[in-house]
Amino acid sequence: MSLRLYNTLTRSLEPFEPLAPPKVGLYVCGPTVYDDPHIGHARSAYIFDVLRRYLKHRGYDVTFVRNVTDVDDKIIEKARQELGTQDAGHRTQDLKAKCEEVAERYLKSYHDVLGRLGIAAPDREPKATGHVLPDSKNVEATKKIDASMTGCISQLITKNMAYPAGGDVYFSVRRFAEYGKLSNRSPDDLKAGARIEPGEHKEDPLDFALWKAAKPDEPSWNSPWGPGRPGWHIECSVMSTAYLGDAFDIHGGGVDLVFPHHENEIAQARALGKPFAKYWIHNGLLTVNGEKMSKSLGNFITVDAVLKEWNEPDVLKMFFLGTHYRNPIDYSVENLRASFERLKNQVHFLRIASLLEVGIEPPSKLPQEILRLEHEFTEAMDTDLNTPGALAVLDKLVKAGQRLIQDAATAYEKGDEVQRNHRTGGIVSVSHTLRRLGEVLGLFGSVGAFKLSEEDRRLIDQREAARKRKEFQLSDQIRQKLSAKGYVVEDTPDGPIVYPKS
Ligand SMILES: [Zn+2]
């Protein structure tokens, strides 16, 4: 079977057939950097990290581009608020410099939490401010006009798809026949809810701004239409094609971006004569205890807060994976605790296995049961990234591994070395497979494959021997010695397990 993905554009599950395999171009709408990232941002970033990982696992050569919106009304608003707390006479910064400072601070915060979650950086991460004028240092000279928002807006005006008005420039929705295809709405339906806000110079309420005239103190660029800044939608049409070409494979984002953002991205790019994205992938939204997350409701949860509380990035990832990416997901302490328990079970097995596998080579052929489970994993992921199905396979692997540990212990008690070694080989196969499949999902990165030194191993054996002789004082002394060396010793029915303190 091959990978199938749900394409919002066709509203169907489609076989994934890239334009120029094995290359795959993937563009995802990135953050508007005006606040600390919340868990909804983490979900979107992680889902597309999993997609990228799985495509690589499937042998594709992925180029992943994610933009940064670093000029926007919300950033300007935030900068004004921060300046407003200073006495006007003592302001040391103008608004423009403050906007840059705000954007830089929150982009750093975004990078920081994604790094802590073990989510890899994109291959390219263009900033909107780097693509307003045709002077981007990141693109070849021949592409500079096309890779600039002012260049593309000028072309749209020439093609009679856009018009300047009162220092702004608007895209004329009625002149683009395919408008509404992605969100499955007709311009006539949309018209009912649309209106022209005070200060806008639209000819039609459906039209949207490509360029906004700037107030004197706001960040601005000189343009044929006067000083101003770009609208949000145009940046993604311009930057995605600048780095991935006029036609590329996948465009992703949250389902809240389908309309108007992605609809407008398509209108702009197609009106410029570009085929644009083939597959449109959208992740579902996140609620907190059944409610939409917002600062005013006081349920705004930052990624930083969750990472501090659980001290283990995989807990949040396990929680996200437990729900299919297109479905809504509800964050609650109970749901996180359930994810923690599930993760604990898997990590516990990996730790026992990492002790057993010292000096043991895994069997060259994987047992049938593991091969079958691996196939089940691929089948789940091939079906529109069915991560709940993939996680169920990881649980089955752990169960199989636990059974082998028990069998190995029984063989050990009976003094049956051959059976014991056979089972241990099986445990190693299971743990290697679990790690490999976990890595496809970005899991277990922090469960280091640590190796004990010979000396520490001897200490553990001595302690276990003392415990069996019921010399508890000696066994406690050795435990303290191990603890001082930075290890946690946990006694289980299967024997002691040892792992580094995190
Ligand atoms: Zn976008």
Side-chain angles (χ1 to χ4, degrees):
M1 202 169 74
S2 61
L3 174 60
R4 287 168 302 154
L5 293 170
Y6 183 86
N7 189 352
T8 309
L9 193 60
T10 58
R11 280 167 284 283
S12 63
L13 199 61
E14 289 182 23
F16 179 61
E17 286 159 2
L19 299 164
K23 286 193 185 309
V24 171
L26 167 63
Y27 183 88
V28 176
C29 295
T32 300
V33 279
Y34 71 101
D35 210 339
D36 285 318
H38 58 65
I39 49 178
H41 296 123
R43 184 187 193 200
S44 184
Y46 178 51
I47 280 163
F48 290 104
D49 186 51
V50 170
L51 174 62
R52 179 198 201 183
R53 282 168 182 274
Y54 191 64
L55 288 169
K56 284 188 176 178
H57 175 73
R58 274 307 219 155
Y60 293 112
D61 174 13
V62 185
T63 304
F64 175 38
V65 181
R66 188 180 60 216
N67 69 309
V68 178
T69 303
D70 60 344
V71 57
D72 178 88
D73 289 343
K74 292 185 193 116
I75 297 170
I76 296 171
E77 176 59 32
K78 182 87 168 191
R80 273 194 210 286
Q81 277 173 15
E82 290 189 8
L83 284 176
T85 58
Q86 296 168 23
D87 174 0
H90 292 91
R91 276 186 195 166
T92 52
Q93 272 181 316
D94 62 11
L95 185 66
K96 199 174 168 217
K98 191 74 191 172
C99 284
E100 279 172 23
E101 188 200 304
V102 166
E104 207 170 304
R105 185 193 319 148
Y106 291 112
L107 178 58
K108 196 168 165 292
S109 166
Y110 187 74
H111 285 161
D112 172 60
V113 296
L114 260 50
R116 282 155 69 199
L117 279 169
I119 293 174
D123 298 302
R124 307 300 296 258
E125 194 176 41
K127 292 178 177 172
T129 52
H131 285 266
V132 179
L133 303 176
D135 58 359
S136 172
K137 292 174 199 69
N138 300 316
V139 290
E140 305 153 33
T142 50
K143 278 177 126 190
K144 282 193 191 297
I145 293 286
D146 273 359
S148 75
M149 296 184 231
T150 50
C152 288
I153 295 169
S154 293
Q155 288 176 49
L156 286 169
I157 296 172
T158 309
K159 285 172 184 274
N160 201 30
M161 296 303 289
Y163 57 92
D168 302 333
V169 180
Y170 296 94
F171 185 92
S172 179
V173 167
R174 292 282 184 186
R175 289 180 215 162
F176 180 67
E178 291 173 45
Y179 196 81
K181 211 174 149 193
L182 182 73
S183 55
N184 200 18
R185 303 178 207 203
S186 75
D188 289 328
D189 295 341
L190 291 166
K191 187 152 191 184
R195 62 192 196 104
I196 299 176
E197 301 290 333
E200 290 183 327
H201 306 90
K202 296 176 183 182
E203 288 171 3
D204 184 315
L206 288 181
D207 296 349
F208 60 88
L210 297 169
W211 187 261
K212 297 173 182 181
K215 297 196 182 90
D217 61 339
E218 286 178 354
S220 67
W221 288 260
N222 286 324
S223 80
W225 322 288
R229 58 194 157 87
W232 172 36
H233 314 301
I234 190 72
E235 72 174 83
C236 286
S237 300
V238 170
M239 294 195 284
S240 57
T241 50
Y243 294 96
L244 296 172
D246 289 353
F248 60 93
D249 299 296
I250 307 175
H251 192 310
V255 70
D256 53 333
L257 299 185
V258 173
F259 186 85
H261 184 53
H262 289 166
E263 197 72 75
N264 292 351
E265 277 190 43
I266 293 175
Q268 295 159 155
R270 304 271 300 164
L272 285 165
K274 301 177 181 187
F276 213 45
K278 184 174 177 187
Y279 300 92
W280 287 82
I281 311 278
H282 292 99
N283 65 273
L285 298 184
L286 182 143
T287 51
V288 175
N289 296 315
E291 283 181 316
K292 193 174 182 279
M293 182 165 42
S294 83
K295 282 217 157 144
S296 54
L297 285 172
N299 63 357
F300 187 87
I301 299 173
T302 64
V303 187
D304 181 61
V306 178
L307 286 172
K308 275 187 182 137
E309 190 179 339
W310 293 91
N311 198 26
E312 169 51 69
D314 283 2
V315 176
L316 192 58
K317 293 189 197 171
M318 190 63 74
F319 164 66
F320 291 145
L321 293 171
T323 298
H324 188 264
Y325 78 86
R326 285 204 290 126
N327 291 338
I329 192 169
D330 190 44
Y331 179 92
S332 67
V333 174
E334 301 82 70
N335 288 346
L336 262 259
R337 192 168 304 284
S339 302
F340 173 74
E341 290 302 328
R342 190 174 200 176
L343 179 69
K344 202 169 92 177
N345 209 24
Q346 296 169 352
V347 169
H348 194 259
F349 166 73
L350 284 176
R351 279 174 175 155
I352 295 178
S354 76
L355 283 180
L356 291 172
E357 66 191 39
V358 178
I360 289 184
E361 283 297 312
S364 54
K365 256 179 77 183
L366 285 175
Q368 274 302 318
E369 188 186 3
I370 297 181
L371 287 174
R372 194 177 49 73
L373 288 174
E374 199 168 338
H375 181 72
E376 209 178 297
F377 177 90
T378 308
E379 215 161 323
M381 291 297 284
D382 272 352
T383 312
D384 197 26
L385 305 184
N386 174 9
T387 55
L391 277 192
V393 174
L394 300 196
D395 290 341
K396 285 181 196 173
L397 276 168
V398 171
K399 268 220 168 86
Q402 285 165 340
R403 227 172 28 237
L404 285 164
I405 288 174
Q406 241 160 36
D407 292 350
T410 312
Y412 177 64
E413 275 162 27
K414 287 185 184 158
D416 186 343
E417 272 301 299
V418 176
Q419 272 305 315
R420 188 194 179 212
N421 287 341
H422 181 67
R423 303 293 184 215
T424 310
I427 295 165
V428 175
S429 296
V430 172
S431 104
H432 283 206
T433 309
L434 183 61
R435 268 188 193 279
R436 199 156 36 80
L437 299 185
E439 205 188 314
V440 175
L441 302 172
L443 293 174
F444 311 137
S446 56
V447 189
F450 84 104
K451 290 264 183 262
L452 286 165
S453 69
E454 273 305 307
E455 189 195 336
D456 295 338
R457 256 194 98 69
R458 257 199 310 277
L459 275 175
I460 293 162
D461 289 344
Q462 282 168 13
R463 177 177 167 277
E464 185 58 7
R467 228 166 59 86
K468 280 194 171 142
R469 294 194 305 268
K470 302 205 186 311
E471 291 174 26
F472 294 117
Q473 205 180 342
L474 179 61
S475 83
D476 272 354
Q477 274 171 8
I478 302 176
R479 182 206 286 267
Q480 277 159 21
K481 220 179 207 175
L482 284 162
S483 172
K485 287 179 153 217
Y487 295 114
V488 178
V489 184
E490 200 180 302
D491 291 310
T492 75
D494 308 317
I497 64 164
V498 180
Y499 49 89
K501 288 178 192 165
S502 51

